[in-house]
Amino acid sequence: MNVVVPIFHFHWSERFWPEPQKFDPSRFSPERRPPPEPLIYFPFGAGPRNCIGNQFGLQELMIMAILFPRHYRFRVQPGFTVEPDPLITLRPRRGMVMTVTARRALSRSVENTAQSHFV
């Protein structure tokens, strides 16, 4: 028998998070106490079979969340609607159509604005 737990239900629930749809990395900062219950936020699973890359993934995410916005501005293309596609992992159904703009020129020969389709 397989049991499927809709993880994003817990991550997006107003019962556990204020403004769950809002991107707010500070909700995990040490200044904000108490921390979430262990089985309320579990992006890498839980129990004896949780993901072996859990700590690495969280560390990598923190680095990207800090560095990317310093150097680039990400904006979803006007009119594009992001729809969740919950399979084994949660991803956007049709990718993310965005405009990525460098916050400062890296060199004079580099184009400052590029349009990309992230999948």
Side-chain angles (χ1 to χ4, degrees):
M1 176 163 121
N2 292 326
V3 176
V4 178
V5 178
I7 294 173
F8 65 92
H9 168 74
F10 291 96
H11 295 179
W12 292 358
S13 174
E14 289 182 4
R15 179 176 170 198
F16 305 115
W17 307 99
E19 300 182 276
Q21 300 279 333
K22 180 181 176 187
F23 178 72
D24 181 12
S26 70
R27 70 178 82 213
F28 298 102
S29 69
E31 295 82 28
R32 304 238 343 232
R33 294 288 180 215
E37 303 260 343
L39 293 178
I40 299 304
Y41 180 69
F42 51 106
F44 298 95
R49 291 191 174 88
N50 71 331
C51 179
I52 193 169
N54 182 348
Q55 294 303 311
F56 176 74
L58 289 173
Q59 187 68 37
E60 190 175 46
L61 177 63
M62 284 191 293
I63 291 168
M64 289 187 301
I66 291 167
L67 293 180
F68 283 9
R70 278 188 192 167
H71 299 287
Y72 302 97
R73 177 172 288 126
F74 297 87
R75 298 286 183 253
V76 175
Q77 291 273 322
F80 182 78
T81 303
V82 179
E83 295 176 41
D85 190 14
L87 296 170
I88 292 174
T89 60
L90 180 63
R91 62 187 74 209
R93 187 173 308 276
R94 295 180 321 274
M96 293 288 293
V97 180
M98 305 183 83
T99 300
V100 180
T101 307
R103 292 194 180 270
R104 60 189 164 113
L106 301 176
S107 74
R108 292 181 189 254
S109 63
V110 175
E111 175 90 17
N112 286 343
T113 302
Q115 291 188 2
S116 300
H117 182 84
F118 296 99
V119 178

